[in-house]
Amino acid sequence: MQSTRKEVANAAITGSTCWRRTQWMFALALLSGAGLTTPSLAAEWALDDVRGARYGGVEGIPGEFHLVQGKWTGQPLDPGAASKPTVMLLDDTLATGEAAGGAHPEAAVVLAASFGGSGVFHYLAVLERRDGRPVSRQTWALGDRVQIKQVQIHGQRILVDMVRSGPGDPACCPTEWVTLAYAVGQDRSMAVGQPRPVQLADIGGPNWVLRTWGDGEQAQLNSSISLTFKDAALRGHAGCNSYVAGTQAGATGSALAMAPAATTRKMCEPDVMRSESRFLEALARAARWRFDGGRLALSADDGSPLLTFSREPR
């Protein structure tokens, strides 16, 4: 009889615990349905959040400045000067993650500052939310005319893959590949591995999607034209057909020689075929490549732009 009473009591306790757990989960569901969040749920970042935030820490610009649609223009720094300082957000560098180890993710972006000369000074900025608003937390200088491939947040490290000026490089033409790691609260970066000369294989990793043609015309938002680097060749989808084009590195890290592209033989709608022909003709003329604010840019031997790609969203 005593054993039976204990079993009944334990069952009652278990049932009560399960009921309380069910009530708690149901309450969370109601909160979520009402558009509310619990402290443990991370807020999402949108591009518009960082394109309209306040930033600071840019050398030559005192205090903070407020971006409007990703851009800020100030007053001339010298009386009577015609040029005005500008800061642009490089949209394709946005990365999110728990860089500070808290419950909510931070955002990391790269800013490009110009003061009227040939220099373009890049800065890595990390933002957090305070009372729901995006606020710049820390800023680091990356250098003049660096080429940013991508920004990532892994654990509590912000990683920047980029090409910078190496020993003997002119500022216009960097050739040193490096991955730098930054940590919130630390002033200095740390190189991940040894810096080395940039190479054609550095294009590899992401799948690149066409964004603009050489004349600046925007590609269709749902463009299926893509490019990646694998086995010493550029390959991807030309719009209708798959293609592969052998490559050979040139005398410098940014130069390349293209072999004629081989493609499959499907037929698609006339507009798609015209776009595909335009792409393959531009690709055949590519003689130089570079990273540009998180994008991949291909240009002709004379430097005229041909094609610009963004990383395919994950």
Side-chain angles (χ1 to χ4, degrees):
M1 179 66 70
Q2 188 174 2
S3 175
T4 302
R5 288 174 179 171
K6 286 183 178 180
E7 289 173 359
V8 171
N10 288 339
I13 293 172
T14 302
S16 177
T17 301
C18 291
W19 171 243
R20 285 197 299 270
R21 183 181 296 117
T22 301
Q23 287 181 312
W24 180 77
M25 293 177 68
F26 182 69
L28 281 182
L30 288 176
L31 287 173
S32 299
L36 303 176
T37 58
T38 63
S40 62
L41 298 179
E44 296 292 334
W45 286 88
L47 185 58
D48 285 344
D49 294 333
V50 296
R51 297 184 90 235
R54 301 186 70 87
Y55 295 86
V58 173
E59 187 175 354
I61 301 176
E64 293 185 334
F65 52 91
H66 182 202
L67 296 188
V68 177
Q69 296 183 348
K71 183 177 180 179
W72 172 85
T73 302
Q75 295 301 315
L77 298 179
D78 298 320
S83 60
K84 298 180 179 180
T86 62
V87 179
M88 298 283 294
L89 177 78
L90 304 182
D91 292 350
D92 286 69
T93 62
L94 173 62
T96 61
E98 295 179 3
H104 299 283
E106 284 75 33
V109 293
V110 174
L111 305 171
S114 176
F115 298 89
S118 58
V120 180
F121 304 92
H122 292 73
Y123 291 83
L124 174 67
V126 62
L127 300 98
E128 62 184 4
R129 290 188 184 276
R130 296 177 190 167
D131 299 325
R133 296 184 303 170
V135 178
S136 178
R137 176 166 180 167
Q138 191 168 357
T139 306
W140 299 269
L142 295 175
D144 178 17
R145 283 168 279 187
V146 297
Q147 299 178 18
I148 308 296
K149 178 183 181 182
Q150 63 181 350
V151 177
Q152 303 176 80
I153 297 178
H154 286 294
Q156 296 182 31
R157 297 196 307 171
I158 306 170
L159 303 178
V160 183
D161 294 332
M162 69 181 191
V163 184
R164 66 184 182 186
S165 294
D169 286 345
C172 68
C173 312
T175 65
E176 184 176 83
W177 171 268
V178 66
T179 298
L180 297 178
Y182 295 84
V184 173
Q186 301 294 320
D187 294 331
R188 296 182 178 275
S189 65
M190 178 181 296
V192 179
Q194 292 296 319
R196 56 167 174 78
V198 66
Q199 52 192 341
L200 192 55
D202 292 325
I203 293 176
N207 192 45
W208 301 95
V209 179
L210 182 66
R211 286 292 175 256
T212 61
W213 301 93
D215 57 5
E217 177 188 349
Q218 295 289 321
Q220 295 182 357
L221 290 177
N222 59 348
S223 172
S224 61
I225 298 177
S226 63
L227 175 150
T228 191
F229 183 87
K230 184 179 180 182
D231 299 331
L234 297 178
R235 59 186 71 223
H237 197 260
C240 179
N241 289 281
S242 299
Y243 72 91
V244 58
T247 61
Q248 185 174 352
T252 64
S254 63
L256 76 158
M258 297 287 301
T263 69
T264 53
R265 297 294 183 179
K266 293 191 301 180
M267 293 298 295
C268 296
E269 295 294 327
D271 287 348
V272 175
M273 298 307 296
R274 282 192 291 270
S275 179
E276 177 170 289
S277 295
R278 181 182 180 185
F279 169 72
L280 293 174
E281 289 172 3
L283 186 66
R285 294 177 54 205
R288 300 179 183 278
W289 67 274
R290 69 189 304 271
F291 297 119
D292 185 7
R295 296 189 172 194
L296 171 66
L298 301 183
S299 58
D301 191 46
D302 62 0
S304 57
L306 295 172
L307 304 163
T308 302
F309 302 82
S310 289
R311 294 191 312 279
E312 184 177 49
R314 296 181 179 179

